[in-house]
């Protein structure tokens, strides 16, 4: 493992102008009703980046009222499908124009290495994909068996006011995944970002106004989950929640949504299996499986953190994965040479290092990494190196619980049937990977593993047109694809007696 210095030659983002960041409600910047703020911290240095408004119930009420006005009576309710498409395309262009600013904000606030790109297409492409949908949404003329004089058809209409609660591990792209289909359907939205990563979503609010969205269509309320997030989840005038985050929080949102039976889309936790067969291209599998768990410092819901390796190549794979983990450059998120940045916060650092100790206590052995980096220039930051555990088994906490850090447990298997059964022995079902040259074997495993996405000879790639979502405790509903748009629509039946 190599480390990089925090001495970085990067400009300060324009959006970090030294002033406290306010809430974006009804097209205006406004302080929290309480006047309270909270600090955003740089995980590479531990320094404070900005003060953000601490929104709570009163601010949520204001934002929901603004979104309701825009949906019921405002200009947005009269926008034609083509008008919705135009402003969405304009927003995509503005995101591209400001993508360096977004990259700096995310690197400074949540630790994403500035030199690494996204898996798949850029965030603006998600908005462009959904900008194509407003002109293609329609109901159907449906025949009935009641009478020839009865004319029946359906309308597809926006569900209403949407609350999007998104995580910190991909602030901009997570916002795109919720914002794109909701706006395409004609909904209005309140975005509640994670308290660890509110800057990119706030910049998005600024650009939405510049793109031509009417006031109230898109609002951003920063704050804490137990106050702002809980208020949105229980609000009687919110028609749908789109949430990405932990399973525990998803369950709390479900309970809060009972009051008015909100529609829910929940993309929750994961503990994904990545299966390496003996006939795999080992060069590709080591790098692909390695970055499938170490990428974004392991802070990915789809992280392939349970790596199953067919026994004939087990030791060779371990040796090569440990060598690969040790070769990755860990360092300050703004250093262009950094491959693995810090974890997002002090709390997350304690969580991940706690699991490193749990792994050792359970009998696993770290052949790479295994402890927080505390020397030199990285001592003030929240750095955990890529860690590879062996001597693990399926019942350990490090193999059953979501760690959300750069920690892999590598275990051997002997047969396809055995590894499928072990892969499915989990409460989660978000993703999984298969590495093999045998296409028949790949198809068989892809069908048998109970997960929302299976990658074959690659890992973690996403595209706006391809649906993404989980099974079991990994949630329900889909982000991305046409299926996501359908989740923001409601179908109305119309009967006309023509006699």
């Amino acid at each position: 493992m190599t480390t990089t210095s925090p001495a970085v030659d990067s400009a300060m983002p324009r959006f970090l102008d030294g002033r406290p960041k306010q809430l974006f409600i009804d097209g205006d910047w406004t302080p929290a009703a309480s006047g309270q703020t909270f600090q955003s911290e740089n995980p590479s240095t531990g320094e404070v980046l900005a003060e953000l408004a601490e929104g709570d119930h009163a601010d949520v009420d204001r934002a929901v009222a603004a979104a309701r006005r825009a949906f019921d009576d405002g200009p947005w309710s009269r926008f034609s499908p083509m008008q919705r498409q135009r402003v969405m395309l304009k927003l995509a262009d503005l995101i591209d124009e400001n993508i360096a600013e977004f990259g700096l904000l995310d690197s400074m606030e949540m630790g994403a290495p500035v030199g690494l790109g996204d898996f798949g297409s850029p965030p603006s492409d998600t908005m462009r994909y959904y900008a194509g949908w407003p002109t293609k949404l329609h109901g159907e003329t449906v025949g009935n068996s009641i009478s020839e004089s009865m004319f029946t058809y359906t309308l597809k209409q926006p569900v209403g006011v949407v609350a999007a609660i998104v995580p910190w591990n991909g602030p901009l792209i997570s916002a795109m995944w919720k914002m794109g289909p909701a706006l395409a359907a004609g909904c209005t939205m309140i975005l509640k970002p994670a308290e660890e990563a509110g800057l990119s979503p706030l910049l998005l609010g600024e650009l939405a106004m510049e793109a031509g969205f009417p006031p109230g269509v898109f609002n951003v309320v920063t704050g804490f989950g137990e106050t702002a997030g809980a208020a949105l989840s229980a609000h009687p005038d919110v028609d749908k929640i789109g949430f990405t985050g932990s399973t525990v929080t998803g369950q709390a949102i479900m309970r809060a949504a009972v009051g008015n039976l909100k529609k829910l889309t929940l993309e929750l936790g994961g503990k994904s299996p990545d299966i390496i067969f003996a006939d795999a291209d080992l060069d590709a599998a080591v790098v692909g499986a390695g970055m499938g768990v170490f990428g974004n410092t392991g802070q990915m819901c789809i992280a392939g953190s349970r790596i199953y390796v067919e026994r004939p190549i087990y030791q060779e794979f371990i040796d090569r994965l440990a060598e690969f983990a040790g070769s990755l450059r860990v360092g300050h998120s703004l250093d262009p040479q950094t491959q693995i940045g810090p974890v997002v916060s002090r709390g997350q650092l304690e969580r991940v290092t706690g699991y490193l100790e749990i792994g050792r206590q359970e009998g696993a052995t770290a052949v790479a990494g295994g402890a927080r980096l505390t020397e030199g220039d990285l001592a003030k930051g929240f750095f955990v190196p890529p860690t590879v555990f062996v001597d693990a088994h399926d019942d350990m906490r490090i193999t059953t619980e979501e760690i959300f850090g750069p920690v892999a447990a590598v275990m051997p298997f002997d047969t396809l049937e055995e590894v499928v059964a072990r892969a499915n022995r989990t409460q989660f079902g978000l993703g999984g990977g298969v590495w093999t040259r045998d296409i028949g074997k790949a198809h068989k495993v892809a069908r048998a593993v109970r997960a929302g996405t299976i990658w074959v000879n690659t890992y973690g790639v996403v595209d706006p047109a391809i649906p993404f979502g989980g099974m079991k405790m990994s949630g329900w509903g889909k982000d991305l694809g046409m299926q996501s748009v359908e989740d923001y629509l409601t179908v109305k039946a119309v009967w006309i007696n023509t006699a």
Side-chain angles (χ1 to χ4, degrees):
M1 179 195 66
T2 55
T3 60
T4 62
S5 166
V8 180
D9 185 19
S10 294
M12 179 66 70
R14 168 192 62 82
F15 198 64
L16 287 179
D17 54 11
R19 293 178 293 181
K21 295 303 171 189
Q22 298 182 320
L23 311 175
F24 184 72
I25 297 176
D26 208 13
D28 280 324
W29 297 105
T30 177
S34 67
Q36 296 295 309
T37 63
F38 65 98
Q39 294 180 336
S40 174
E41 207 170 30
N42 186 331
S44 290
T45 65
E47 298 172 346
V48 174
L49 283 173
E51 297 279 340
L52 276 66
E54 186 180 331
D56 60 19
H57 293 73
D59 306 295
V60 164
D61 285 343
R62 285 191 292 155
V64 172
R68 178 58 64 189
R69 285 192 301 271
F71 181 78
D72 287 344
D73 307 312
W76 187 246
S77 65
R78 298 184 294 276
F79 265 41
S80 69
M82 193 67 75
Q83 286 176 299
R84 291 207 304 275
Q85 182 180 72
R86 289 193 189 107
V87 293
M88 292 176 72
L89 289 173
K90 176 62 175 175
L91 179 58
D93 290 342
L94 290 170
I95 291 170
D96 280 340
E97 291 172 17
N98 291 271
I99 196 63
E101 179 91 349
F102 279 114
L104 285 173
L105 290 174
D106 287 352
S107 290
M108 296 177 73
E109 191 174 32
M110 55 77 56
V114 74
L116 297 182
D118 298 307
F119 283 114
S121 57
S124 59
D125 279 3
T126 300
M127 185 59 62
R128 289 193 179 91
Y129 170 80
Y130 284 111
W133 276 104
T135 57
K136 300 170 184 65
L137 302 176
H138 56 80
E140 298 176 302
T141 300
V142 185
N144 65 80
S145 300
I146 301 301
S147 169
E148 291 183 357
S149 66
M150 289 290 186
F151 176 63
T152 43
Y153 64 95
T154 62
L155 296 171
K156 287 189 177 179
Q157 297 179 309
V159 70
V161 174
V162 172
I165 303 175
V166 297
W168 44 259
N169 61 328
L172 178 59
I173 194 63
S174 293
M176 292 293 96
W177 284 23
K178 311 299 186 191
M179 191 179 182
L183 298 179
C187 297
T188 56
M189 172 175 281
I190 304 97
L191 178 66
K192 193 281 179 192
E195 52 266 30
E196 298 91 345
L199 295 175
S200 280
L202 288 169
L203 176 57
L204 195 58
E206 178 182 291
L207 299 184
M209 282 297 291
E210 186 177 344
F213 287 94
V217 172
F218 181 66
N219 309 272
V220 184
V221 176
T222 51
F224 294 92
E226 57 268 28
T227 49
L232 280 168
S233 301
H235 202 289
D237 211 21
V238 170
D239 300 300
K240 174 179 168 64
I241 300 281
F243 173 71
T244 298
S246 73
T247 298
V248 170
T249 303
Q251 291 170 320
I253 289 172
M254 288 178 63
R255 290 188 289 269
V258 168
N260 68 337
L261 296 179
K262 293 176 180 64
K263 293 186 70 172
L264 297 175
T265 301
L266 303 173
E267 194 261 278
L268 307 178
K271 193 68 180 177
S272 299
D274 207 357
I275 301 169
I276 321 294
F277 284 97
D279 65 351
D281 178 339
L282 207 52
D283 291 336
V286 167
V287 175
M291 292 311 293
V293 63
F294 303 141
N296 204 29
T297 320
Q299 299 169 128
M300 304 180 292
C301 54
I302 57 172
S305 53
R306 292 187 295 147
I307 301 179
Y308 294 98
V309 183
E310 199 165 11
R311 198 173 299 275
I313 62 166
Y314 178 65
Q315 189 59 51
E316 181 182 2
F317 184 88
I318 289 172
D319 294 342
R320 293 180 64 170
L321 183 63
E323 181 182 4
F324 174 72
S327 73
L328 294 170
R329 296 180 67 88
V330 180
H332 193 291
S333 60
L334 289 181
D335 190 315
Q337 300 302 312
T338 291
Q339 295 169 291
I340 306 295
V343 296
V344 71
S345 65
R346 298 177 192 275
Q348 189 64 15
L349 176 67
E350 293 173 2
R351 173 183 174 84
V352 175
T353 54
Y355 272 106
L356 298 181
E357 180 59 29
I358 288 169
R360 284 189 289 270
Q361 291 174 355
E362 291 180 322
T365 303
V367 295
R372 177 190 179 183
L373 300 179
T374 57
E375 297 181 359
D377 292 330
L378 305 186
K380 294 181 180 179
F382 313 141
F383 294 96
V384 178
T387 296
V388 178
F389 275 118
V390 297
D391 303 323
H393 58 74
D394 293 328
D395 297 323
M396 289 181 171
R397 289 182 63 188
I398 60 168
T399 58
T400 58
E401 299 176 12
E402 186 175 38
I403 298 174
F404 230 63
V407 183
V410 188
M411 297 168 282
F413 74 91
D414 293 300
T415 68
L416 185 151
E417 292 73 20
E418 171 209 338
V419 77
V420 165
R422 293 170 65 190
N424 286 334
R425 198 178 302 151
T426 174
Q427 63 178 328
F428 298 110
L430 191 57
V434 185
W435 300 82
T436 178
R437 289 185 171 92
D438 185 335
I439 191 64
K441 189 183 299 179
H443 283 305
K444 187 171 183 179
V445 174
R447 285 192 301 269
V449 173
R450 296 194 65 208
T453 300
I454 300 294
W455 291 278
V456 178
N457 296 331
T458 187
Y459 200 89
V461 182
V462 294
D463 181 271
I466 311 302
F468 179 87
M471 301 178 180
K472 299 189 284 187
M473 297 294 278
S474 290
W476 62 46
K478 296 293 182 182
D479 286 317
L480 302 180
M482 61 178 250
Q483 291 87 349
S484 182
V485 181
E486 296 286 347
D487 281 340
Y488 290 88
L489 295 167
T490 185
V491 178
K492 179 186 292 182
V494 180
W495 291 75
I496 302 177
N497 187 348
T498 63

